[in-house]
Amino acid sequence: MSIKEKEQQVIEEFGLFDDWMDKYNYLIELGKELPLLDESLKVEKYLISGCQAQVWLHAGFRDGKVVFTADSDALITKGIVALLIRVLSGHSPQEILESDLSFIDEIGLKEHLSQTRSNGLVNMIKQMRLYAMAFQAKSIGNQ
Amino acid sequence: MPLNPEQIRKDFPALHQQVNGRDLVYLDNAATTQKPQQVIDRLQRYYTTENSNIHRGAHFLSQQATEAYEGARKTIRGFLNAPHERQVIFTRGTTESINLVASSFCKKFVQAGDEVLVSAMEHHSNIVPWQIACQDRQARLKVIPINDRGELLMDEYRELLNNRTRIVAVTHVSNALGSINPIREMIRLAHEKDIPVLIDGAQAVPHLSVDVQELDCDFYCISAHKMYGPMGVGVLYGKEEWLEKLPPYQGGGEMIRDVRFSGTTYNELPFKFEAGTPNVGDVLGMEAAVKYLQQFDAGDLAAYEEQLLHYALEQLQAFEQIRFVGSAEMRTGVVSFLFEDIHPYDTGTILDKMGIAVRTGHHCAQPLMEFFGIPGTVRVSLGIYNTRAEIDALVEGLKIVRNMFG
Ligand SMILES: Cc1ncc(COP(=O)(O)O)c(C=O)c1O
């Protein structure tokens, strides 16, 4: 499935909820399911700071695809992190760099990506793109 | 006469709106308060008919604006009971007032090896300016510790005052915990050793009546926006002897007497510290806010907020897993708490969905959060227009939070 198709799938899932509480309950569920980062990776090096909620992000590169794992200390943030990982992980750097992640807006969670929320999400997306760029540069270098 | 919050609410247009489909419940007053119509009208009147640059033109509008601006200084002199208008300096707010003193005072009176004393519960704006100044002077910043109720340790304070201490800078009321510090005693102790004291009064003036002469503080700093006035304006009060001795903070128009390339002489107080065109409109708005507050009896106001605080504490105590952060004997209407099993950010997000505005996070007091070993708190801060019904709405909101995460 392409990134766009996955985004469409998320939009359809969220289309089923008719009030905010169901939507947030779902996010909380997603947050609880996200495979936790290994404790050894919950270190300063992988920490993306936002002054309220913290996010840890790890990226690996296998067979030309970027694999992300992440965690957050706040559950709603973690739920959104889970959505971002579901959409972006397992794709090539090029695909990741071309994505616009407009699904976040469409499912009504845009506010969580505003800088004022300072929950680490904005910086996490930036960091995901930086990883993609770095892996891309590396694989070009290897060719 | 007891306060009538229902009547007061009518003065605040911003309270009467819906947020996320619910009636707004505004409980973030320590961050900034809403503004009464009287303040909004004053701003509008200034820009509609009075706008002009002050202390300059001989024309009618300029003269009128100058008189209004200097009139506001008189009103604020009275509000703080400063001896003279010369001692009331308009600034951008508490932050600028503190920066002014930290910069000018340390430049002249602090040498390598000297000490500046702040407390563990300071807002970043009463830490960082001193850090910068100390770094510049190779001086040391010392910290008065607190206990786990959020009260300053007075014995330690006494010991920290020594012959290297050049100035003490401490908050009157903590923004994160609401603790009221025993500043009168602290000032007395510092003065025994001839050490001046700066008080950060940002969180005090909206709740307590302040008399700078009775306190005998050397500097007192406030922001209009936390006391129902406009943003971007505040005051530095200072004792005349200190203000005379301090070098100017910023250079520019207004603050000079004569400018020659061979040397410039400075204007007298308070203009020496008011470089450039001041924020006239907001100064007049601040005056309107002071007049608004002055129509109430300070005792009635404090009694009402205290009642509401106790009601809130009582209601919140019923929750499972709640941890209160700060429980000082003397405090204003601030409740900082968190659920042990729920991140404050999650709590704040769900409350926001229900139209309830609280502050979550570290409240610009990271050293304080570190002391308590927490990422932050949920802070409920009360103002004169809050009601029991709003506390009930908060409690309902928190029940939903517990249901969703608990
Ligand atoms: C105790 C305290 N000091 C200083 C400040 C800074 O005030 P301002 O941002 O208005 O300059 C605040 C505001 O949050 C405060 O609560």
Side-chain angles (χ1 to χ4, degrees), chain A residues 1 3 6 58-60 65-69 81-92 95-96 128:
Chain A
M1 229 189 280
I3 289 181
K6 286 187 190 168
H58 181 263
K65 314 278 188 208
V66 186
V67 179
F68 291 113
T69 42
V81 166
L83 288 176
L84 286 166
I85 286 189
R86 175 167 145 203
V87 167
L88 293 180
S89 191
H91 289 275
S92 71
E95 289 171 306
I96 292 169
M128 287 172 120

mmCIF file with all atom_site columns, all heavy atoms in Angstrom, chain A residues 1 3 6 58-60 65-69 81-92 95-96 128:
data_model
loop_
_atom_site.group_PDB
_atom_site.id
_atom_site.type_symbol
_atom_site.label_atom_id
_atom_site.label_alt_id
_atom_site.label_comp_id
_atom_site.label_asym_id
_atom_site.label_entity_id
_atom_site.label_seq_id
_atom_site.pdbx_PDB_ins_code
_atom_site.Cartn_x
_atom_site.Cartn_y
_atom_site.Cartn_z
_atom_site.occupancy
_atom_site.B_iso_or_equiv
_atom_site.pdbx_formal_charge
_atom_site.auth_seq_id
_atom_site.auth_comp_id
_atom_site.auth_asym_id
_atom_site.auth_atom_id
_atom_site.pdbx_PDB_model_num
ATOM 1   N N   . MET A 1 1   ? 0.835  -1.187 0.000  1.00 0.00 ? 1   MET A N   1
ATOM 2   C CA  . MET A 1 1   ? 0.000  0.000  0.000  1.00 0.00 ? 1   MET A CA  1
ATOM 3   C C   . MET A 1 1   ? 0.877  1.247  0.000  1.00 0.00 ? 1   MET A C   1
ATOM 4   O O   . MET A 1 1   ? 1.865  1.312  0.721  1.00 0.00 ? 1   MET A O   1
ATOM 5   C CB  . MET A 1 1   ? -0.866 0.012  1.269  1.00 0.00 ? 1   MET A CB  1
ATOM 6   C CG  . MET A 1 1   ? -2.326 0.282  0.969  1.00 0.00 ? 1   MET A CG  1
ATOM 7   S SD  . MET A 1 1   ? -3.249 0.559  2.494  1.00 0.00 ? 1   MET A SD  1
ATOM 8   C CE  . MET A 1 1   ? -3.496 -1.116 3.051  1.00 0.00 ? 1   MET A CE  1
ATOM 9   N N   . ILE A 1 3   ? 1.797  5.349  0.626  1.00 0.00 ? 3   ILE A N   1
ATOM 10  C CA  . ILE A 1 3   ? 1.532  6.258  1.749  1.00 0.00 ? 3   ILE A CA  1
ATOM 11  C C   . ILE A 1 3   ? 0.145  6.884  1.573  1.00 0.00 ? 3   ILE A C   1
ATOM 12  O O   . ILE A 1 3   ? -0.645 6.948  2.516  1.00 0.00 ? 3   ILE A O   1
ATOM 13  C CB  . ILE A 1 3   ? 2.643  7.331  1.855  1.00 0.00 ? 3   ILE A CB  1
ATOM 14  C CG1 . ILE A 1 3   ? 3.948  6.684  2.342  1.00 0.00 ? 3   ILE A CG1 1
ATOM 15  C CG2 . ILE A 1 3   ? 2.216  8.474  2.772  1.00 0.00 ? 3   ILE A CG2 1
ATOM 16  C CD1 . ILE A 1 3   ? 5.122  7.623  2.507  1.00 0.00 ? 3   ILE A CD1 1
ATOM 17  N N   . LYS A 1 6   ? -2.554 4.501  2.525  1.00 0.00 ? 6   LYS A N   1
ATOM 18  C CA  . LYS A 1 6   ? -2.653 4.328  3.976  1.00 0.00 ? 6   LYS A CA  1
ATOM 19  C C   . LYS A 1 6   ? -3.341 5.531  4.612  1.00 0.00 ? 6   LYS A C   1
ATOM 20  O O   . LYS A 1 6   ? -4.149 5.388  5.528  1.00 0.00 ? 6   LYS A O   1
ATOM 21  C CB  . LYS A 1 6   ? -1.257 4.154  4.586  1.00 0.00 ? 6   LYS A CB  1
ATOM 22  C CG  . LYS A 1 6   ? -0.625 2.813  4.326  1.00 0.00 ? 6   LYS A CG  1
ATOM 23  C CD  . LYS A 1 6   ? 0.654  2.774  5.163  1.00 0.00 ? 6   LYS A CD  1
ATOM 24  C CE  . LYS A 1 6   ? 1.534  1.598  4.853  1.00 0.00 ? 6   LYS A CE  1
ATOM 25  N NZ  . LYS A 1 6   ? 2.866  1.773  5.465  1.00 0.00 ? 6   LYS A NZ  1
ATOM 26  N N   . HIS A 1 58  ? 13.089 6.344  16.849 1.00 0.00 ? 58  HIS A N   1
ATOM 27  C CA  . HIS A 1 58  ? 14.248 5.600  16.352 1.00 0.00 ? 58  HIS A CA  1
ATOM 28  C C   . HIS A 1 58  ? 13.979 5.215  14.912 1.00 0.00 ? 58  HIS A C   1
ATOM 29  O O   . HIS A 1 58  ? 12.847 4.881  14.553 1.00 0.00 ? 58  HIS A O   1
ATOM 30  C CB  . HIS A 1 58  ? 14.482 4.348  17.213 1.00 0.00 ? 58  HIS A CB  1
ATOM 31  C CG  . HIS A 1 58  ? 15.665 3.564  16.771 1.00 0.00 ? 58  HIS A CG  1
ATOM 32  N ND1 . HIS A 1 58  ? 15.562 2.467  15.946 1.00 0.00 ? 58  HIS A ND1 1
ATOM 33  C CD2 . HIS A 1 58  ? 16.983 3.732  17.029 1.00 0.00 ? 58  HIS A CD2 1
ATOM 34  C CE1 . HIS A 1 58  ? 16.781 1.994  15.716 1.00 0.00 ? 58  HIS A CE1 1
ATOM 35  N NE2 . HIS A 1 58  ? 17.652 2.740  16.365 1.00 0.00 ? 58  HIS A NE2 1
ATOM 36  N N   . ALA A 1 59  ? 15.010 5.275  14.089 1.00 0.00 ? 59  ALA A N   1
ATOM 37  C CA  . ALA A 1 59  ? 14.825 4.901  12.689 1.00 0.00 ? 59  ALA A CA  1
ATOM 38  C C   . ALA A 1 59  ? 15.893 3.907  12.250 1.00 0.00 ? 59  ALA A C   1
ATOM 39  O O   . ALA A 1 59  ? 17.061 4.049  12.617 1.00 0.00 ? 59  ALA A O   1
ATOM 40  C CB  . ALA A 1 59  ? 14.891 6.144  11.806 1.00 0.00 ? 59  ALA A CB  1
ATOM 41  N N   . GLY A 1 60  ? 15.466 2.878  11.501 1.00 0.00 ? 60  GLY A N   1
ATOM 42  C CA  . GLY A 1 60  ? 16.422 1.929  10.924 1.00 0.00 ? 60  GLY A CA  1
ATOM 43  C C   . GLY A 1 60  ? 16.220 1.922  9.413  1.00 0.00 ? 60  GLY A C   1
ATOM 44  O O   . GLY A 1 60  ? 15.215 2.438  8.907  1.00 0.00 ? 60  GLY A O   1
ATOM 45  N N   . LYS A 1 65  ? 14.115 0.549  2.731  1.00 0.00 ? 65  LYS A N   1
ATOM 46  C CA  . LYS A 1 65  ? 12.935 1.119  3.412  1.00 0.00 ? 65  LYS A CA  1
ATOM 47  C C   . LYS A 1 65  ? 13.329 1.620  4.804  1.00 0.00 ? 65  LYS A C   1
ATOM 48  O O   . LYS A 1 65  ? 14.159 1.009  5.490  1.00 0.00 ? 65  LYS A O   1
ATOM 49  C CB  . LYS A 1 65  ? 11.842 0.053  3.609  1.00 0.00 ? 65  LYS A CB  1
ATOM 50  C CG  . LYS A 1 65  ? 11.569 -0.793 2.390  1.00 0.00 ? 65  LYS A CG  1
ATOM 51  C CD  . LYS A 1 65  ? 10.630 -0.077 1.449  1.00 0.00 ? 65  LYS A CD  1
ATOM 52  C CE  . LYS A 1 65  ? 10.216 -1.044 0.320  1.00 0.00 ? 65  LYS A CE  1
ATOM 53  N NZ  . LYS A 1 65  ? 9.883  -0.332 -0.922 1.00 0.00 ? 65  LYS A NZ  1
ATOM 54  N N   . VAL A 1 66  ? 12.659 2.689  5.204  1.00 0.00 ? 66  VAL A N   1
ATOM 55  C CA  . VAL A 1 66  ? 12.915 3.231  6.544  1.00 0.00 ? 66  VAL A CA  1
ATOM 56  C C   . VAL A 1 66  ? 11.924 2.600  7.530  1.00 0.00 ? 66  VAL A C   1
ATOM 57  O O   . VAL A 1 66  ? 10.727 2.528  7.252  1.00 0.00 ? 66  VAL A O   1
ATOM 58  C CB  . VAL A 1 66  ? 12.733 4.769  6.574  1.00 0.00 ? 66  VAL A CB  1
ATOM 59  C CG1 . VAL A 1 66  ? 13.151 5.342  7.929  1.00 0.00 ? 66  VAL A CG1 1
ATOM 60  C CG2 . VAL A 1 66  ? 13.517 5.424  5.449  1.00 0.00 ? 66  VAL A CG2 1
ATOM 61  N N   . VAL A 1 67  ? 12.438 2.127  8.659  1.00 0.00 ? 67  VAL A N   1
ATOM 62  C CA  . VAL A 1 67  ? 11.567 1.546  9.680  1.00 0.00 ? 67  VAL A CA  1
ATOM 63  C C   . VAL A 1 67  ? 11.637 2.412  10.939 1.00 0.00 ? 67  VAL A C   1
ATOM 64  O O   . VAL A 1 67  ? 12.701 2.586  11.529 1.00 0.00 ? 67  VAL A O   1
ATOM 65  C CB  . VAL A 1 67  ? 12.009 0.105  10.022 1.00 0.00 ? 67  VAL A CB  1
ATOM 66  C CG1 . VAL A 1 67  ? 11.106 -0.473 11.112 1.00 0.00 ? 67  VAL A CG1 1
ATOM 67  C CG2 . VAL A 1 67  ? 11.965 -0.759 8.770  1.00 0.00 ? 67  VAL A CG2 1
ATOM 68  N N   . PHE A 1 68  ? 10.479 2.977  11.280 1.00 0.00 ? 68  PHE A N   1
ATOM 69  C CA  . PHE A 1 68  ? 10.429 3.847  12.462 1.00 0.00 ? 68  PHE A CA  1
ATOM 70  C C   . PHE A 1 68  ? 9.815  3.117  13.647 1.00 0.00 ? 68  PHE A C   1
ATOM 71  O O   . PHE A 1 68  ? 8.849  2.354  13.477 1.00 0.00 ? 68  PHE A O   1
ATOM 72  C CB  . PHE A 1 68  ? 9.533  5.068  12.192 1.00 0.00 ? 68  PHE A CB  1
ATOM 73  C CG  . PHE A 1 68  ? 10.103 6.039  11.185 1.00 0.00 ? 68  PHE A CG  1
ATOM 74  C CD1 . PHE A 1 68  ? 9.484  6.208  9.940  1.00 0.00 ? 68  PHE A CD1 1
ATOM 75  C CD2 . PHE A 1 68  ? 11.211 6.820  11.493 1.00 0.00 ? 68  PHE A CD2 1
ATOM 76  C CE1 . PHE A 1 68  ? 9.975  7.126  9.024  1.00 0.00 ? 68  PHE A CE1 1
ATOM 77  C CE2 . PHE A 1 68  ? 11.705 7.741  10.584 1.00 0.00 ? 68  PHE A CE2 1
ATOM 78  C CZ  . PHE A 1 68  ? 11.089 7.891  9.341  1.00 0.00 ? 68  PHE A CZ  1
ATOM 79  N N   . THR A 1 69  ? 10.342 3.350  14.839 1.00 0.00 ? 69  THR A N   1
ATOM 80  C CA  . THR A 1 69  ? 9.649  2.983  16.080 1.00 0.00 ? 69  THR A CA  1
ATOM 81  C C   . THR A 1 69  ? 9.711  4.203  16.993 1.00 0.00 ? 69  THR A C   1
ATOM 82  O O   . THR A 1 69  ? 10.642 5.009  16.900 1.00 0.00 ? 69  THR A O   1
ATOM 83  C CB  . THR A 1 69  ? 10.307 1.796  16.814 1.00 0.00 ? 69  THR A CB  1
ATOM 84  O OG1 . THR A 1 69  ? 11.708 1.965  16.761 1.00 0.00 ? 69  THR A OG1 1
ATOM 85  C CG2 . THR A 1 69  ? 9.900  0.470  16.231 1.00 0.00 ? 69  THR A CG2 1
ATOM 86  N N   . VAL A 1 81  ? 1.412  9.541  17.242 1.00 0.00 ? 81  VAL A N   1
ATOM 87  C CA  . VAL A 1 81  ? 2.697  8.966  16.825 1.00 0.00 ? 81  VAL A CA  1
ATOM 88  C C   . VAL A 1 81  ? 2.450  7.617  16.128 1.00 0.00 ? 81  VAL A C   1
ATOM 89  O O   . VAL A 1 81  ? 3.021  7.323  15.074 1.00 0.00 ? 81  VAL A O   1
ATOM 90  C CB  . VAL A 1 81  ? 3.629  8.777  18.055 1.00 0.00 ? 81  VAL A CB  1
ATOM 91  C CG1 . VAL A 1 81  ? 4.802  7.878  17.718 1.00 0.00 ? 81  VAL A CG1 1
ATOM 92  C CG2 . VAL A 1 81  ? 4.125  10.130 18.556 1.00 0.00 ? 81  VAL A CG2 1
ATOM 93  N N   . ALA A 1 82  ? 1.551  6.817  16.697 1.00 0.00 ? 82  ALA A N   1
ATOM 94  C CA  . ALA A 1 82  ? 1.240  5.509  16.114 1.00 0.00 ? 82  ALA A CA  1
ATOM 95  C C   . ALA A 1 82  ? 0.691  5.663  14.696 1.00 0.00 ? 82  ALA A C   1
ATOM 96  O O   . ALA A 1 82  ? 1.036  4.900  13.786 1.00 0.00 ? 82  ALA A O   1
ATOM 97  C CB  . ALA A 1 82  ? 0.237  4.768  16.997 1.00 0.00 ? 82  ALA A CB  1
ATOM 98  N N   . LEU A 1 83  ? -0.176 6.673  14.499 1.00 0.00 ? 83  LEU A N   1
ATOM 99  C CA  . LEU A 1 83  ? -0.727 6.903  13.157 1.00 0.00 ? 83  LEU A CA  1
ATOM 100 C C   . LEU A 1 83  ? 0.374  7.290  12.173 1.00 0.00 ? 83  LEU A C   1
ATOM 101 O O   . LEU A 1 83  ? 0.415  6.801  11.036 1.00 0.00 ? 83  LEU A O   1
ATOM 102 C CB  . LEU A 1 83  ? -1.773 8.022  13.199 1.00 0.00 ? 83  LEU A CB  1
ATOM 103 C CG  . LEU A 1 83  ? -3.103 7.702  13.871 1.00 0.00 ? 83  LEU A CG  1
ATOM 104 C CD1 . LEU A 1 83  ? -3.965 8.968  13.913 1.00 0.00 ? 83  LEU A CD1 1
ATOM 105 C CD2 . LEU A 1 83  ? -3.837 6.585  13.123 1.00 0.00 ? 83  LEU A CD2 1
ATOM 106 N N   . LEU A 1 84  ? 1.259  8.161  12.610 1.00 0.00 ? 84  LEU A N   1
ATOM 107 C CA  . LEU A 1 84  ? 2.337  8.620  11.726 1.00 0.00 ? 84  LEU A CA  1
ATOM 108 C C   . LEU A 1 84  ? 3.248  7.463  11.337 1.00 0.00 ? 84  LEU A C   1
ATOM 109 O O   . LEU A 1 84  ? 3.685  7.355  10.186 1.00 0.00 ? 84  LEU A O   1
ATOM 110 C CB  . LEU A 1 84  ? 3.156  9.716  12.421 1.00 0.00 ? 84  LEU A CB  1
ATOM 111 C CG  . LEU A 1 84  ? 2.450  11.073 12.515 1.00 0.00 ? 84  LEU A CG  1
ATOM 112 C CD1 . LEU A 1 84  ? 3.159  11.996 13.501 1.00 0.00 ? 84  LEU A CD1 1
ATOM 113 C CD2 . LEU A 1 84  ? 2.382  11.728 11.130 1.00 0.00 ? 84  LEU A CD2 1
ATOM 114 N N   . ILE A 1 85  ? 3.498  6.588  12.303 1.00 0.00 ? 85  ILE A N   1
ATOM 115 C CA  . ILE A 1 85  ? 4.372  5.459  12.023 1.00 0.00 ? 85  ILE A CA  1
ATOM 116 C C   . ILE A 1 85  ? 3.693  4.479  11.076 1.00 0.00 ? 85  ILE A C   1
ATOM 117 O O   . ILE A 1 85  ? 4.283  3.981  10.123 1.00 0.00 ? 85  ILE A O   1
ATOM 118 C CB  . ILE A 1 85  ? 4.789  4.784  13.343 1.00 0.00 ? 85  ILE A CB  1
ATOM 119 C CG1 . ILE A 1 85  ? 5.809  5.697  14.015 1.00 0.00 ? 85  ILE A CG1 1
ATOM 120 C CG2 . ILE A 1 85  ? 5.345  3.389  13.100 1.00 0.00 ? 85  ILE A CG2 1
ATOM 121 C CD1 . ILE A 1 85  ? 6.470  5.114  15.201 1.00 0.00 ? 85  ILE A CD1 1
ATOM 122 N N   . ARG A 1 86  ? 2.421  4.245  11.336 1.00 0.00 ? 86  ARG A N   1
ATOM 123 C CA  . ARG A 1 86  ? 1.677  3.333  10.462 1.00 0.00 ? 86  ARG A CA  1
ATOM 124 C C   . ARG A 1 86  ? 1.719  3.825  9.018  1.00 0.00 ? 86  ARG A C   1
ATOM 125 O O   . ARG A 1 86  ? 1.887  3.039  8.085  1.00 0.00 ? 86  ARG A O   1
ATOM 126 C CB  . ARG A 1 86  ? 0.231  3.277  10.961 1.00 0.00 ? 86  ARG A CB  1
ATOM 127 C CG  . ARG A 1 86  ? -0.681 2.465  10.086 1.00 0.00 ? 86  ARG A CG  1
ATOM 128 C CD  . ARG A 1 86  ? -1.971 2.216  10.825 1.00 0.00 ? 86  ARG A CD  1
ATOM 129 N NE  . ARG A 1 86  ? -3.101 2.211  9.919  1.00 0.00 ? 86  ARG A NE  1
ATOM 130 C CZ  . ARG A 1 86  ? -4.359 2.449  10.299 1.00 0.00 ? 86  ARG A CZ  1
ATOM 131 N NH1 . ARG A 1 86  ? -4.625 2.721  11.568 1.00 0.00 ? 86  ARG A NH1 1
ATOM 132 N NH2 . ARG A 1 86  ? -5.330 2.410  9.421  1.00 0.00 ? 86  ARG A NH2 1
ATOM 133 N N   . VAL A 1 87  ? 1.609  5.138  8.830  1.00 0.00 ? 87  VAL A N   1
ATOM 134 C CA  . VAL A 1 87  ? 1.571  5.688  7.477  1.00 0.00 ? 87  VAL A CA  1
ATOM 135 C C   . VAL A 1 87  ? 2.965  5.729  6.832  1.00 0.00 ? 87  VAL A C   1
ATOM 136 O O   . VAL A 1 87  ? 3.119  5.414  5.652  1.00 0.00 ? 87  VAL A O   1
ATOM 137 C CB  . VAL A 1 87  ? 0.916  7.099  7.512  1.00 0.00 ? 87  VAL A CB  1
ATOM 138 C CG1 . VAL A 1 87  ? 1.146  7.840  6.209  1.00 0.00 ? 87  VAL A CG1 1
ATOM 139 C CG2 . VAL A 1 87  ? -0.579 6.971  7.811  1.00 0.00 ? 87  VAL A CG2 1
ATOM 140 N N   . LEU A 1 88  ? 3.987  6.084  7.610  1.00 0.00 ? 88  LEU A N   1
ATOM 141 C CA  . LEU A 1 88  ? 5.299  6.342  6.991  1.00 0.00 ? 88  LEU A CA  1
ATOM 142 C C   . LEU A 1 88  ? 6.295  5.186  7.042  1.00 0.00 ? 88  LEU A C   1
ATOM 143 O O   . LEU A 1 88  ? 7.166  5.078  6.178  1.00 0.00 ? 88  LEU A O   1
ATOM 144 C CB  . LEU A 1 88  ? 5.960  7.572  7.635  1.00 0.00 ? 88  LEU A CB  1
ATOM 145 C CG  . LEU A 1 88  ? 5.279  8.918  7.396  1.00 0.00 ? 88  LEU A CG  1
ATOM 146 C CD1 . LEU A 1 88  ? 6.057  10.031 8.095  1.00 0.00 ? 88  LEU A CD1 1
ATOM 147 C CD2 . LEU A 1 88  ? 5.145  9.236  5.908  1.00 0.00 ? 88  LEU A CD2 1
ATOM 148 N N   . SER A 1 89  ? 6.162  4.334  8.077  1.00 0.00 ? 89  SER A N   1
ATOM 149 C CA  . SER A 1 89  ? 7.182  3.316  8.255  1.00 0.00 ? 89  SER A CA  1
ATOM 150 C C   . SER A 1 89  ? 7.093  2.260  7.152  1.00 0.00 ? 89  SER A C   1
ATOM 151 O O   . SER A 1 89  ? 5.999  1.897  6.715  1.00 0.00 ? 89  SER A O   1
ATOM 152 C CB  . SER A 1 89  ? 7.016  2.657  9.634  1.00 0.00 ? 89  SER A CB  1
ATOM 153 O OG  . SER A 1 89  ? 8.132  1.865  9.916  1.00 0.00 ? 89  SER A OG  1
ATOM 154 N N   . GLY A 1 90  ? 8.245  1.782  6.701  1.00 0.00 ? 90  GLY A N   1
ATOM 155 C CA  . GLY A 1 90  ? 8.274  0.745  5.664  1.00 0.00 ? 90  GLY A CA  1
ATOM 156 C C   . GLY A 1 90  ? 8.285  1.307  4.255  1.00 0.00 ? 90  GLY A C   1
ATOM 157 O O   . GLY A 1 90  ? 8.079  0.582  3.284  1.00 0.00 ? 90  GLY A O   1
ATOM 158 N N   . HIS A 1 91  ? 8.479  2.594  4.138  1.00 0.00 ? 91  HIS A N   1
ATOM 159 C CA  . HIS A 1 91  ? 8.542  3.205  2.809  1.00 0.00 ? 91  HIS A CA  1
ATOM 160 C C   . HIS A 1 91  ? 9.945  3.701  2.502  1.00 0.00 ? 91  HIS A C   1
ATOM 161 O O   . HIS A 1 91  ? 10.774 3.865  3.396  1.00 0.00 ? 91  HIS A O   1
ATOM 162 C CB  . HIS A 1 91  ? 7.526  4.348  2.712  1.00 0.00 ? 91  HIS A CB  1
ATOM 163 C CG  . HIS A 1 91  ? 6.127  3.837  2.669  1.00 0.00 ? 91  HIS A CG  1
ATOM 164 N ND1 . HIS A 1 91  ? 5.515  3.441  1.510  1.00 0.00 ? 91  HIS A ND1 1
ATOM 165 C CD2 . HIS A 1 91  ? 5.243  3.603  3.667  1.00 0.00 ? 91  HIS A CD2 1
ATOM 166 C CE1 . HIS A 1 91  ? 4.301  2.988  1.781  1.00 0.00 ? 91  HIS A CE1 1
ATOM 167 N NE2 . HIS A 1 91  ? 4.107  3.077  3.093  1.00 0.00 ? 91  HIS A NE2 1
ATOM 168 N N   . SER A 1 92  ? 10.155 3.970  1.211  1.00 0.00 ? 92  SER A N   1
ATOM 169 C CA  . SER A 1 92  ? 11.483 4.440  0.811  1.00 0.00 ? 92  SER A CA  1
ATOM 170 C C   . SER A 1 92  ? 11.647 5.903  1.225  1.00 0.00 ? 92  SER A C   1
ATOM 171 O O   . SER A 1 92  ? 10.652 6.615  1.373  1.00 0.00 ? 92  SER A O   1
ATOM 172 C CB  . SER A 1 92  ? 11.634 4.325  -0.706 1.00 0.00 ? 92  SER A CB  1
ATOM 173 O OG  . SER A 1 92  ? 10.820 5.303  -1.322 1.00 0.00 ? 92  SER A OG  1
ATOM 174 N N   . GLU A 1 95  ? 9.684  8.269  -0.989 1.00 0.00 ? 95  GLU A N   1
ATOM 175 C CA  . GLU A 1 95  ? 8.235  8.318  -0.728 1.00 0.00 ? 95  GLU A CA  1
ATOM 176 C C   . GLU A 1 95  ? 7.942  9.156  0.518  1.00 0.00 ? 95  GLU A C   1
ATOM 177 O O   . GLU A 1 95  ? 6.984  9.926  0.552  1.00 0.00 ? 95  GLU A O   1
ATOM 178 C CB  . GLU A 1 95  ? 7.682  6.898  -0.536 1.00 0.00 ? 95  GLU A CB  1
ATOM 179 C CG  . GLU A 1 95  ? 7.638  6.080  -1.819 1.00 0.00 ? 95  GLU A CG  1
ATOM 180 C CD  . GLU A 1 95  ? 7.297  4.610  -1.541 1.00 0.00 ? 95  GLU A CD  1
ATOM 181 O OE1 . GLU A 1 95  ? 7.989  3.973  -0.702 1.00 0.00 ? 95  GLU A OE1 1
ATOM 182 O OE2 . GLU A 1 95  ? 6.336  4.129  -2.154 1.00 0.00 ? 95  GLU A OE2 1
ATOM 183 N N   . ILE A 1 96  ? 8.762  8.975  1.536  1.00 0.00 ? 96  ILE A N   1
ATOM 184 C CA  . ILE A 1 96  ? 8.542  9.710  2.787  1.00 0.00 ? 96  ILE A CA  1
ATOM 185 C C   . ILE A 1 96  ? 8.710  11.213 2.556  1.00 0.00 ? 96  ILE A C   1
ATOM 186 O O   . ILE A 1 96  ? 7.901  12.020 3.007  1.00 0.00 ? 96  ILE A O   1
ATOM 187 C CB  . ILE A 1 96  ? 9.508  9.208  3.891  1.00 0.00 ? 96  ILE A CB  1
ATOM 188 C CG1 . ILE A 1 96  ? 9.123  7.777  4.274  1.00 0.00 ? 96  ILE A CG1 1
ATOM 189 C CG2 . ILE A 1 96  ? 9.490  10.123 5.110  1.00 0.00 ? 96  ILE A CG2 1
ATOM 190 C CD1 . ILE A 1 96  ? 10.129 7.048  5.138  1.00 0.00 ? 96  ILE A CD1 1
ATOM 191 N N   . MET A 1 128 ? 11.646 12.787 11.297 1.00 0.00 ? 128 MET A N   1
ATOM 192 C CA  . MET A 1 128 ? 11.399 11.645 10.403 1.00 0.00 ? 128 MET A CA  1
ATOM 193 C C   . MET A 1 128 ? 11.895 11.978 8.997  1.00 0.00 ? 128 MET A C   1
ATOM 194 O O   . MET A 1 128 ? 12.502 11.157 8.315  1.00 0.00 ? 128 MET A O   1
ATOM 195 C CB  . MET A 1 128 ? 9.900  11.307 10.382 1.00 0.00 ? 128 MET A CB  1
ATOM 196 C CG  . MET A 1 128 ? 9.404  10.643 11.664 1.00 0.00 ? 128 MET A CG  1
ATOM 197 S SD  . MET A 1 128 ? 7.598  10.487 11.679 1.00 0.00 ? 128 MET A SD  1
ATOM 198 C CE  . MET A 1 128 ? 7.442  8.700  11.799 1.00 0.00 ? 128 MET A CE  1
#
